[in-house]
């Protein structure tokens, strides 16, 4: 967005009705929480997928949604460039699960999340579950 602001020489965004619909839809989906239980007692995850042709405004809509959620007091893990998680870096196959982990990329994202959300994270009630040696 900063590049767009520099090129247009304006720090402003056009808020389209479609974004307001997206925001309202997101609010309905996440309140109640992202996981709910259906009539059979199974946990159901709710998801929103932004889809559209190249340059239709998905990234701007997502950035605006993140800004709105943060203004609402939500903790948001925003990953604008997910490619860095899958290209380059270290990949490690977990012998217990058989799944691939990306510890270097995950550590960077978590450090950034802490850096930008430390004051909010400090307010959350926490309980120590494990004390390792050392």
């Amino acid at each position: 967005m900063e590049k767009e602001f520099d090129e247009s020489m304006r720090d402003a965004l056009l808020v389209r009705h479609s974004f307001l619909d997206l925001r309202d839809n997101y609010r309905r989906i996440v309140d109640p929480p992202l996981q709910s239980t259906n009539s059979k007692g199974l946990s159901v995850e709710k998801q929103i997928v932004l889809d559209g042709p190249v340059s239709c405004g998905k990234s701007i809509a997502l950035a605006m949604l993140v800004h709105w959620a943060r203004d609402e007091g939500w903790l948001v893990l925003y990953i604008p460039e997910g490619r860095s998680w899958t290209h380059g870096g270290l990949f490690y196959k977990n012998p217990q699960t058989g799944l691939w982990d990306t510890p270097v990329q995950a550590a960077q994202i978590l450090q950034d999340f802490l850096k930008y959300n430390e004051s909010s994270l400090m307010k959350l009630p926490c309980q120590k579950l494990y004390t390792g040696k050392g």
Side-chain angles (χ1 to χ4, degrees), residues 30-59:
V30 299
D31 190 23
L34 281 174
Q35 285 205 349
S36 63
T37 305
N38 66 15
S39 60
K40 296 179 183 179
L42 299 174
S43 178
V44 178
E45 291 187 30
K46 300 175 183 182
Q47 300 176 18
I48 293 178
V49 176
L50 293 180
D51 188 25
V54 174
S55 296
C56 73
K58 299 179 297 289
S59 295

